[in-house]
Amino acid sequence: MPSITTLPYEIVLEITRSAALRDSVALLITCKVLHEICKARSFWIDQVLRLKERFNLLLPDHIGSLAIEDLKRTAWSPYRFETAIRQQKIQLSHCGRFNTPMGSNYWEAKIVPGGQWLFTLSSEPEDITAGWCSLLRVWRITEAVPAVPTCIASFRLRKNFSPMELCLQPGDSSLDLFVFVNSKILFSHSQQGCYLQVLHINMADGNPQFSPVVGLRNRRICSGMGIQGQNVVVTFPEGRDWSEALIWDWRNDERNVVQSPRPAGKYWFMAASKTIATLWDLETRSIEVHLPSPSGGYAKVGSHHPISAASTEEVSGGADDHAIDIIPTFVDSWNSGTDLHRIALAHLEQETLRIDMEDLGAGRIGFTSYLKDNTYMEGVPTGPHGDESEVPANFFKTISDHLVDLSSSGRLTLYLSPEGGGEETECISYFVDRARVDDIHLDEHSSFICPFSGIVGSVSTGGNLFIWRLGQDACI
């Protein structure tokens, strides 16, 4: 009777492709014959290529020429990162400052999955006559980042607009990127509005340059931007009455508008497309699904309530029953163009809910409860954003589906992946070490995380850059 040890190498390699790396290695080290596969360069090239393909990582094209130790380090990094976060073994490896004019303000930073490049949005003074300019930049992030990071590409954004948000999405070819920028009109009392812009850049070029693709002007300031499927989705608060979501198919310049069925501040868009609108109802603490109605608009077709008793209590509005009125935090989805699995976290007084929505809410919707005191996030009780230094801006999903975030205050939070839908599970939260810098306690920070290369970082408003990497003793 044939056994796995007598199978051709190609067949064994195919078997390992259906399992996680740690499971594959556990299998291969069971005997000397299989252990030889672990020593093969082709095995580790295959593992890195699988990682690149599964998560659309922007890694160099010359993977095949890397030394076997570099291949192993790249393949194991996502697993070592999870262990390091749980064991609090990430270490500050860089503290420097961008070489930009004094008085510059950095609004957001995003790292490209793969850990090589960092994108930033900033506003900078030019001179007395020209005033301020807004810039989109790319910085090279390597193992040995110099005290002054290297800018490899920059683009001057539309004049008289101040940048607010930045999203990245993989392009149509290797090392290809689409960049989405949301800006608002700067210093104008006579008019207001926002400008959405899509740019393209290819990091494989020796001298990469941004090229504008398309733009969209709107007379209202949007309160949030995200990429869902092939669409840019932005929300607009309409005072205290209603909120709207604009769904922009930027490739075909098609636009749809969805209006919330109830007052803004109590209803938040979780996902929206031409065919579905999924919303979080703060009053009932539940998810509602709305589909297009034959008579026009969208109609409610169902609701989903969390399983835990703590989250399904009716909120009476009294002092003892006060709910933390915080907009749900979304998981930053790098593959949002193809992955329609939407994840959000709703922060309640003594509990955080993880909400998993398949097909933007059209499929299964699951809840996972994490018992956690969130009162430190509260800030202004009547505000929808809470304490901006403590409320997580967004989370990042690790290779094992854990969620990790670094708040502006330096609090790192890890929500472990649920083993069963709706079960209470573990949450880990602690502060990371930061060097003593003059503006560290005054400035807000835009955080970025690459779970695949093991990088955690933040950029302060004043232009300080902090990067934490895996500690030397971080095991798998």
Side-chain angles (χ1 to χ4, degrees):
M1 181 177 178
S3 68
I4 190 172
T5 58
T6 62
L7 293 175
Y9 172 81
E10 293 77 12
I11 301 297
V12 177
L13 192 62
E14 192 62 36
I15 293 173
T16 64
R17 286 179 178 145
S18 62
L21 175 58
R22 57 179 56 162
D23 297 328
S24 298
V25 172
L27 168 66
L28 296 176
I29 63 175
T30 55
C31 70
K32 290 183 178 180
V33 175
L34 295 178
H35 194 210
E36 291 302 312
I37 297 178
C38 278
K39 300 178 182 179
R41 178 186 179 79
S42 57
F43 172 78
W44 292 102
I45 291 176
D46 185 72
Q47 292 298 321
V48 174
L49 290 176
R50 281 181 58 209
L51 192 67
K52 179 180 180 180
E53 180 180 349
R54 179 184 172 189
F55 297 103
N56 235 327
L57 305 186
L58 265 69
L59 296 175
D61 289 330
H62 61 276
I63 290 174
S65 63
L66 295 176
I68 190 168
E69 291 305 317
D70 292 331
L71 291 168
K72 288 182 179 180
R73 184 169 56 251
T74 301
W76 281 121
S77 281
Y79 300 95
R80 292 184 61 232
F81 174 76
E82 291 179 338
T83 302
I85 292 296
R86 296 185 68 167
Q87 298 178 354
Q88 303 186 29
K89 290 184 177 179
I90 60 169
Q91 300 174 349
L92 185 65
S93 67
H94 174 83
C95 176
R97 195 176 185 89
F98 292 120
N99 186 22
T100 51
M102 291 297 295
S104 301
N105 291 315
Y106 282 80
W107 305 116
E108 189 157 17
K110 295 279 188 180
I111 192 170
V112 178
Q116 296 188 74
W117 301 289
L118 180 70
F119 285 68
T120 61
L121 285 178
S122 62
S123 297
E124 302 170 9
E126 289 189 293
D127 53 51
I128 297 178
T129 57
W132 289 73
C133 67
S134 298
L135 290 164
L136 168 66
R137 285 193 177 94
V138 189
W139 309 84
R140 189 180 302 280
I141 303 295
T142 59
E143 286 290 339
V145 184
V148 179
T150 304
C151 176
I152 60 174
S154 64
F155 182 83
R156 186 182 294 262
L157 297 169
R158 190 165 182 172
K159 190 174 178 60
N160 298 324
F161 280 79
S162 176
M164 296 192 300
E165 292 178 285
L166 171 67
C167 290
L168 304 175
Q169 199 175 47
D172 302 323
S173 60
S174 178
L175 299 181
D176 218 23
L177 270 172
F178 286 113
V179 185
F180 303 84
V181 179
N182 170 27
S183 305
K184 67 177 180 179
I185 290 181
L186 185 65
F187 306 135
S188 176
H189 299 287
S190 60
Q191 57 180 329
Q192 62 177 0
C194 69
Y195 184 66
L196 307 174
Q197 189 168 12
V198 183
L199 302 103
H200 171 263
I201 188 170
N202 190 293
M203 304 308 297
D205 294 340
N207 182 28
Q209 299 292 325
F210 288 102
S211 58
V213 178
V214 66
L216 178 65
R217 170 75 187 274
N218 196 289
R219 295 188 179 278
R220 294 173 295 173
I221 298 176
C222 80
S223 59
M225 176 182 69
I227 312 300
Q228 297 174 20
Q230 298 299 320
N231 302 316
V232 177
V233 178
V234 292
T235 54
F236 300 96
E238 293 294 328
R240 297 180 180 179
D241 297 328
W242 309 99
S243 63
E244 287 185 351
L246 169 65
I247 304 157
W248 179 33
D249 180 351
W250 59 275
R251 291 179 183 267
N252 301 306
D253 196 23
E254 296 178 359
R255 306 163 206 175
N256 282 58
V257 175
V258 184
Q259 190 176 67
S260 68
R262 292 172 61 186
K266 300 298 180 183
Y267 235 43
W268 303 105
F269 283 99
M270 307 287 277
S273 71
K274 300 174 186 177
T275 57
I276 189 171
T278 309
L279 303 102
W280 168 253
D281 186 340
L282 181 66
E283 291 185 343
T284 62
R285 300 181 183 181
S286 64
I287 295 291
E288 288 190 3
V289 178
H290 296 250
L291 298 179
S293 170
S295 59
Y298 285 67
K300 177 181 172 181
V301 296
S303 59
H304 302 260
H305 293 265
I307 296 174
S308 64
S311 60
T312 54
E313 288 182 359
E314 183 177 352
V315 180
S316 64
D320 295 335
D321 295 317
H322 175 67
I324 298 181
D325 193 359
I326 297 175
I327 296 175
T329 303
F330 295 102
V331 174
D332 201 321
S333 178
W334 167 248
N335 276 333
S336 58
T338 55
D339 182 8
L340 299 182
H341 184 152
R342 187 81 162 137
I343 304 176
L345 293 172
H347 308 288
L348 310 178
E349 301 96 323
Q350 300 296 323
E351 179 185 28
T352 292
L353 291 173
R354 170 173 170 158
I355 307 166
D356 285 82
M357 299 170 285
E358 296 178 0
D359 294 331
L360 302 182
R364 177 183 174 274
I365 296 180
F367 296 89
T368 304
S369 171
Y370 301 84
L371 296 183
K372 178 173 176 285
D373 184 355
N374 290 321
T375 53
Y376 68 90
M377 295 184 185
E378 191 165 6
V380 182
T382 58
H385 299 283
D387 184 341
E388 292 187 358
S389 69
E390 291 290 0
V391 177
N394 48 29
F395 279 77
F396 298 84
K397 187 167 63 172
T398 72
I399 195 168
S400 302
D401 284 344
H402 306 318
L403 305 180
V404 62
D405 168 78
L406 181 67
S407 70
S408 177
S409 67
R411 184 192 298 268
L412 190 145
T413 307
L414 175 69
Y415 290 92
L416 298 183
S417 175
E419 295 183 1
E423 297 181 354
E424 293 179 2
T425 191
E426 186 180 358
C427 171
I428 299 169
S429 187
Y430 56 90
F431 284 96
V432 296
D433 293 327
R434 277 178 174 154
R436 293 187 175 276
V437 180
D438 291 342
D439 69 350
I440 195 67
H441 300 294
L442 302 176
D443 278 10
E444 292 184 6
H445 285 248
S446 174
S447 302
F448 54 89
I449 297 174
C450 179
F452 309 104
S453 55
I455 293 177
V456 177
S458 71
V459 175
S460 72
T461 307
N464 287 313
L465 170 65
F466 300 86
I467 294 178
W468 294 264
R469 296 184 187 272
L470 304 179
Q472 295 297 321
D473 56 346
C475 301
I476 299 167

